[in-house]
Amino acid sequence: TGCEGDVPCSAAQVMLAQFTTEPVWYADVLDFDDDSVLLSPCGFAPPSLTAPGTQACLGKFAHPGFQGVHVSAQLKSGTVTLAQLCPLHDSFTLLTAVAEGEQCDLRQGWAPALRVRFAEGTQAFLDSLTSQHVAVAYGNHARELEWIARLLGIQALAAGQAAGGRA
């Protein structure tokens, strides 16, 4: 599911979903430092991505402007591919990045979160973003996204790279 009507993020999720059997999710790019970024969706985590030894749970939104239920879960560690479809005038660029995700505490005590680390630091990734949302999938799908970009006739831009990985 996307967020706040972000159609380009939803399209990037569909692109990633072609290459994985696990759920693809979106995240807001939040707190960052020199080598990591905190990714956190607004309460919508697929329970199948819950870290081993932890449990997903349902809760009711208690924040003004939000209604319904949310899924709180500590997300599992592992290599992740981030994608952002960036509208630029009369074309698009597909930003891709591969990072290592680390299990972390829930954001604000209830929201799912994953801290990701880039082998080359966060700056190249952060400088390339055009909005706060990214599509996220476990695994390294950078080459497949480059292939999709060529097929669609759009530019692919790799930013950041996991240790030992390819972007």
Side-chain angles (χ1 to χ4, degrees):
T1 170
C3 182
E4 300 164 345
D6 190 338
V7 174
C9 184
S10 295
Q13 286 178 274
V14 170
M15 290 176 185
L16 274 171
Q18 305 311 303
F19 309 112
T20 181
T21 57
E22 292 190 291
V24 175
W25 49 289
Y26 87 92
D28 288 297
V29 174
L30 299 174
D31 300 333
F32 56 89
D33 55 33
D34 290 340
D35 70 341
S36 72
V37 172
L38 183 68
L39 301 177
S40 180
C42 298
F44 307 104
S48 62
L49 302 181
T50 300
T54 66
Q55 290 186 331
C57 64
L58 291 176
K60 185 175 181 182
F61 276 111
H63 187 70
F66 290 86
Q67 294 181 356
V69 297
H70 61 80
V71 178
S72 291
Q74 288 183 290
L75 299 170
K76 66 183 181 178
S77 298
T79 300
V80 291
T81 300
L82 314 177
Q84 185 179 73
L85 187 60
C86 311
L88 300 169
H89 305 291
D90 61 349
S91 184
F92 290 89
T93 294
L94 181 60
L95 171 66
T96 64
V98 177
E100 286 301 317
E102 299 174 354
Q103 179 183 342
C104 62
D105 291 335
L106 297 172
R107 177 175 54 91
Q108 299 174 318
W110 67 271
L114 185 70
R115 181 152 302 276
V116 296
R117 296 196 181 277
F118 299 88
E120 302 298 323
T122 59
Q123 201 60 54
F125 174 70
L126 294 171
D127 287 347
S128 302
L129 292 175
T130 60
S131 76
Q132 79 276 21
H133 296 141
V134 293
V136 186
Y138 282 89
N140 184 336
H141 307 289
R143 285 191 180 160
E144 293 89 343
L145 288 174
E146 290 172 19
W147 176 82
I148 263 194
R150 280 195 306 271
L151 184 67
L152 294 172
I154 62 175
Q155 178 186 10
L157 176 64
Q161 188 171 352
R166 60 183 198 270

